[in-house]
Amino acid sequence: MQMKPVNYTDNETYRRIHFAFMAIESGARKMGVSGKEMHDRLLKQGLIRRRLINKYDDLHTQSLDWVADDICETLLNWEAEE
């Protein structure tokens, strides 16, 4: 029995994770930090799930540049409130 290949591009979870990954990398470039540092900082603030994953339906319609600006600004604001 041959298994049918999985088409991950039709998978909602894959699309959300791919979008978050792209946003994290773009934000890291804008802030001049590594992708790992950006990921760790976003994770600490809960922004990966609360902003990038949960708000995917709204955010993925924007340009990647706009999303990177938004996530950087939000991260800096949330870190300043600590």
Side-chain angles (χ1 to χ4, degrees):
M1 174 191 236
Q2 189 173 18
M3 295 192 64
K4 184 178 176 183
V6 177
N7 184 355
Y8 288 107
T9 57
D10 288 339
N11 184 307
E12 182 70 18
T13 301
Y14 173 86
R15 286 193 302 267
R16 288 174 186 262
I17 291 170
H18 184 258
F19 170 78
F21 175 81
M22 289 176 32
I24 292 166
E25 286 298 319
S26 293
R29 280 192 298 277
K30 282 190 175 284
M31 292 182 65
V33 299
S34 71
K36 179 176 180 356
E37 180 182 338
M38 186 68 165
H39 170 271
D40 292 348
R41 288 170 67 184
L42 290 169
L43 191 62
K44 182 179 177 187
Q45 296 298 322
L47 284 168
I48 294 173
R49 177 163 305 280
R50 291 170 61 191
R51 188 73 161 208
L52 296 175
I53 302 294
N54 291 348
K55 302 290 184 185
Y56 168 81
D57 291 332
D58 297 325
L59 293 176
H60 87 280
T61 61
Q62 304 298 321
S63 72
L64 186 55
D65 192 51
W66 186 93
V67 173
D69 285 340
D70 178 69
I71 201 68
C72 290
E73 180 180 347
T74 302
L75 175 63
L76 293 173
N77 287 338
W78 286 26
E79 286 178 334
E81 291 178 3
E82 285 188 329

